[in-house]
Amino acid sequence: MHLYSASQQLIVWICLVVFLCAFTSGVTSHDPKKPICCKEDTLTLERPKIKITKCYIFPATGKCAAAVVFTDQNKRSYCVDPKAEWLSIRMKHLKRIGVICEDFTKS
């Protein structure tokens, strides 16, 4: 493909940047075979306000902080600090309603 104008080159460049950013930002994986990596600065102590459908517990590894990751009904992920005071109560509630946290600290 031969680009004839600077505007066409700019459009292709912007599309490429947007595409690459979509795959490299935030929490990028819901596949347990590719664990989610929560950075220390992305951990939250706040409670998710929407229905949680999945839960994962990850250990600290390399650049990733130890975290409990909740995924909501909209497939948004929340990296929760394991020290959050409300967390154990929320995890018990999730277990009661059938959402079991998959624990990757034991594997």
Side-chain angles (χ1 to χ4, degrees):
M1 179 167 122
H2 186 355
L3 300 177
Y4 293 102
S5 70
S7 63
Q8 287 175 323
Q9 291 176 355
L10 182 61
I11 290 170
V12 169
W13 178 250
I14 290 171
C15 290
L16 180 62
V17 169
V18 168
F19 179 77
L20 290 174
C21 288
F23 289 101
T24 60
S25 64
V27 178
T28 57
S29 174
H30 296 285
D31 181 358
K33 295 175 186 163
K34 297 179 182 177
I36 296 167
C37 179
C38 296
K39 306 291 185 193
E40 194 70 39
D41 62 343
T42 64
L43 293 179
T44 184
L45 294 172
E46 295 181 28
R47 302 172 199 223
K49 306 255 188 285
I50 194 163
K51 181 180 177 183
I52 300 302
T53 58
K54 295 182 183 176
C55 175
Y56 305 99
I57 304 169
F58 291 106
T61 56
K63 295 180 180 180
C64 302
V68 175
V69 177
F70 289 147
T71 303
D72 68 21
Q73 61 191 17
N74 297 327
K75 299 192 189 268
R76 180 172 178 220
S77 293
Y78 304 85
C79 292
V80 179
D81 189 326
K83 297 174 191 155
E85 292 179 19
W86 54 268
L87 186 59
S88 63
I89 294 169
R90 184 68 175 264
M91 290 174 69
K92 286 176 188 172
H93 170 72
L94 289 172
K95 188 175 183 178
R96 272 196 314 271
I97 64 170
V99 178
I100 307 299
C101 293
E102 194 167 350
D103 191 346
F104 288 92
T105 62
K106 298 178 181 175
S107 48

